[in-house]
Amino acid sequence: MKPDSLDIPAPAAGEPAERNILVIGGGFAGVEVAGELADFLRGALRYYPRVKPDELRVTILQDGTRLLPELPESLGRRAARSLERRGVDAEGVDLADGGRLAAATVICTIGTRPHRLVEQLGVPLVRGRIDTQADMAVPGLPGVWALGDCARVANAASGADSPPTAQFAVAQAGQLAGNLAAAIAGQETRPFAHVSKGMMAT
């Protein structure tokens, strides 16, 4: 499930690749797009009696060990089971070994990426995001802090990295304001901790 590169080849002779749909990205957008497509295709079959259900295929290609990494693991696995019951291949496809997946329709939902300026700052990065200490300070750079989509901020409340969503960015902003005031006053800063108010994938 970790492709080195994506190369969708022309379909082999007799292979109905036009009926294969590949959704790249197993986050919220990818899961929702794949689920909606599966439901739409199943509903449309009654208008196309010559097309058999097993001729249509929706596959999610996820660079990771599971779907919906922003949610707890149990919910990500539950989403995968739900998609599989609806005919979506949620196991992913390993293309690094030279395997091929024929598909005429490719939908890319790989999500956000930090601004290119971040790569030019010369700060430590983790998956393209600025690495931070628990209180959102950038290690080795006194007086430099980072938050939001451009930063990898650990969430002390869950033990996992904060997802790049508005809910967490707003919470980080409030916490960082308090940490800045504490740092100026010579007081101890606090690690970022936020309990999610909830996330939903249809």
Side-chain angles (χ1 to χ4, degrees):
M1 294 200 306
K2 297 183 178 181
D4 291 339
S5 62
L6 182 63
D7 178 17
I8 304 300
E15 187 174 9
E18 68 277 3
R19 296 177 186 170
N20 296 339
I21 299 174
L22 177 63
V23 178
I24 303 174
F28 282 106
V31 165
E32 291 179 344
V33 165
E36 290 293 331
L37 280 170
D39 291 345
F40 170 77
L41 292 173
R42 187 173 59 241
L45 279 174
R46 63 182 172 168
Y47 301 108
Y48 301 92
R50 294 181 182 175
V51 177
K52 299 174 184 173
D54 60 357
E55 293 180 41
L56 302 173
R57 184 173 180 186
V58 179
T59 301
I60 293 180
L61 179 64
Q62 165 70 343
D63 181 18
T65 57
R66 65 182 180 90
L67 299 179
L68 297 173
E70 301 89 352
L71 295 178
E73 184 172 349
S74 60
L75 293 178
R77 302 213 179 278
R78 186 174 184 181
R81 289 193 301 271
S82 173
L83 288 174
E84 287 164 1
R85 284 194 302 270
R86 291 151 71 187
V88 177
D89 174 11
E91 292 300 315
V93 179
D94 187 354
L95 299 179
D97 64 356
R100 295 289 190 218
L101 176 65
T105 304
V106 178
I107 301 169
C108 188
T109 64
I110 56 174
T112 60
R113 178 182 176 192
H115 193 279
R116 285 176 290 183
L117 174 63
V118 170
E119 299 172 358
Q120 301 170 19
L121 296 176
V123 296
L125 302 178
V126 175
R127 292 191 66 125
R129 290 180 161 78
I130 300 171
D131 192 20
T132 68
Q133 297 174 352
D135 62 356
M136 293 174 278
V138 177
L141 295 172
V144 178
W145 311 73
L147 74 151
D149 287 359
C150 72
R152 186 215 59 89
V153 178
N155 182 7
S158 67
D161 289 347
S162 301
T165 63
Q167 176 188 159
F168 278 83
V170 169
Q172 289 167 8
Q175 171 95 37
L176 183 52
N179 282 347
L180 290 172
I184 291 170
Q187 299 171 352
E188 189 174 342
T189 58
R190 293 185 301 123
F192 174 72
H194 176 68
V195 177
S196 173
K197 293 178 170 49
M199 293 188 235
M200 182 182 72
T202 58

